[in-house]
Amino acid sequence: MEEGRACTWEGVFTHLERLEAQAHEAGRKQEEKEQQEEKLARLKERVEELRTQRDKLQAKVDLQQKGQTGRKGIIESGTTEPSAGAVLEWKIRRLQGMLQAFYLTGISAKLTKRGVCFSISTAYEGTYLDSYYLDLLIRPEVQIHHHSVPIFIPLEQITKRYLKTDIRRCLSVLSDHLNAYARRKYQADQLQEHFSDQLEGTLQRNSLCNLLVFNYKVPGEGKTFPFNARLIYRDLCCSLPTEAVVSCTEKAPESLQETAAAHSELFRHLALHKAFCSFSRAEEREDGAP
């Protein structure tokens, strides 16, 4: 009788332990989901702030240009055709009006003897990365004189579309491309520098860093590298992948297949090195669990 009662209590305790473990796992997943949603919300807020700042800067430049045109137009009263000097003076005043507004967006410039030289700085979360210059001639028409833009950035397409009709738009689009490239490269460099022990071999990437392929493991999985990631950035003005495919090695247990799916989602919403930081934090929480 006593023996049967002991077995019953043992079964109850085992069941309770199983329920506690399930509750702990569910709580951990919920916490991770809430953290991801919070980070996504912060990113959306930041995007809106930057868009608002951009619109204000564009409006400021528009007002400056209208004021300058009102004070001194290209075509003087009583004439039908502007002189070459008047056209050149108008172009210079127009470029000067842009300089102050561009400065706050990471674009600075200085006038040269034959035009203007723009410098486009790239950064990621307050960390300065690289600068590129675009030296323009403004006579007889606006055209590129020299530049340091990497060959894989679609500079020709951008300038063909915007340079002669809207310099502001041209520089803005070019800045978006350069910043997105610099941030993708920065993330890949950070991954190799700080998480090399979780990578198998070298991270494979193309020049534009819009295709990344690597094998990796997460902490606590021993010496195997069961995951393969393929990240594709189809939007060249974006620093997060539009497509993230994570697969497992053959005959991997079902639990790893579920983890791979979760990683795919994480890579689409977090910077690459930050996603790996979250893997480490998750492992630390599991190790510290009672």
Side-chain angles (χ1 to χ4, degrees), residues 77-96:
S77 177
T79 64
T80 58
E81 292 293 334
S83 66
V87 171
L88 178 59
E89 183 180 353
W90 175 81
K91 287 182 178 180
I92 292 174
R93 289 202 311 273
R94 185 167 181 265
L95 289 172
Q96 286 175 327

Side-chain angles (χ1 to χ4, degrees), residues 21-162:
Q22 291 175 352
H24 175 73
E25 178 66 14
R28 182 182 66 81
K29 291 183 177 179
Q30 180 64 25
E31 182 182 354
E32 290 182 352
K33 181 180 179 181
E34 290 175 355
Q35 289 178 348
Q36 292 175 17
E37 291 176 348
E38 183 180 347
K39 290 178 180 178
L40 181 59
R42 289 200 300 266
L43 289 173
K44 289 182 178 179
E45 289 178 0
R46 181 57 178 162
V47 168
E48 290 302 321
E49 290 175 359
L50 291 174
R51 285 176 177 170
T52 301
Q53 184 182 32
R54 179 198 61 190
D55 293 341
K56 289 180 179 179
L57 291 172
Q58 289 181 347
K60 182 177 179 180
V61 171
D62 289 339
L63 288 174
Q64 289 177 337
Q65 292 175 356
K66 289 179 181 178
Q68 290 168 352
T69 303
R71 288 192 300 269
K72 189 174 182 179
I74 296 177
I75 303 178
E76 299 292 341
S77 177
T79 64
T80 58
E81 292 293 334
S83 66
V87 171
L88 178 59
E89 183 180 353
W90 175 81
K91 287 182 178 180
I92 292 174
R93 289 202 311 273
R94 185 167 181 265
L95 289 172
Q96 286 175 327
M98 295 181 185
L99 302 188
Q100 182 61 34
F102 275 137
Y103 177 77
L104 298 176
T105 64
I107 303 175
S108 58
K110 62 179 181 180
L111 295 176
T112 63
K113 292 182 178 179
R114 294 183 289 180
V116 61
C117 184
F118 289 94
S119 175
I120 302 176
S121 298
T122 60
Y124 181 78
E125 293 188 339
T127 300
Y128 169 79
L129 299 177
D130 295 295
S131 287
Y132 304 90
Y133 74 86
L134 188 67
D135 190 3
L136 300 180
L137 302 177
I138 61 174
R139 55 179 179 180
E141 62 179 4
V142 179
Q143 58 182 302
I144 297 176
H145 183 47
H146 294 296
H147 71 85
S148 64
V149 177
I151 190 172
F152 42 79
I153 299 294
L155 176 62
E156 184 177 353
Q157 298 176 23
I158 296 171
T159 54
K160 183 178 181 180
R161 183 173 182 180
Y162 299 113

Side-chain angles (χ1 to χ4, degrees), residues 146-290:
H146 294 296
H147 71 85
S148 64
V149 177
I151 190 172
F152 42 79
I153 299 294
L155 176 62
E156 184 177 353
Q157 298 176 23
I158 296 171
T159 54
K160 183 178 181 180
R161 183 173 182 180
Y162 299 113
L163 184 61
K164 295 182 180 180
T165 57
D166 192 341
I167 295 180
R168 284 183 306 165
R169 180 64 175 162
C170 180
L171 293 171
S172 177
V173 172
L174 179 57
S175 177
D176 289 344
H177 276 266
L178 289 171
N179 270 284
Y181 156 68
R183 292 166 184 172
R184 293 193 299 266
K185 179 177 180 297
Y186 175 81
Q187 293 176 45
D189 291 342
Q190 289 291 301
L191 178 60
Q192 288 189 299
E193 181 179 349
H194 297 292
F195 300 95
S196 58
D197 58 327
Q198 293 176 231
L199 299 177
E200 181 183 34
T202 304
L203 180 149
Q204 301 177 49
R205 50 177 154 173
N206 59 352
S207 299
L208 196 52
C209 288
N210 68 325
L211 173 61
L212 305 179
V213 179
F214 54 93
N215 295 324
Y216 69 100
K217 63 179 180 179
V218 295
E221 290 186 353
K223 297 181 180 180
T224 60
F225 295 83
F227 299 108
N228 172 266
R230 181 182 178 87
L231 309 184
I232 301 174
Y233 304 74
R234 300 192 189 282
D235 184 352
L236 298 183
C237 292
C238 186
S239 57
L240 291 176
T242 52
E243 182 179 339
V245 180
V246 179
S247 57
C248 291
T249 53
E250 295 183 2
K251 299 181 180 179
E254 186 176 347
S255 60
L256 287 187
Q257 299 290 350
E258 294 175 355
T259 301
H263 287 188
S264 296
E265 186 68 17
L266 200 61
F267 285 142
R268 284 194 292 269
H269 294 92
L270 282 182
L272 187 54
H273 57 293
K274 291 188 176 182
F276 271 75
C277 283
S278 71
F279 300 159
S280 300
R281 287 196 298 268
E283 178 64 20
E284 290 173 0
R285 286 197 298 270
E286 291 181 2
D287 291 342

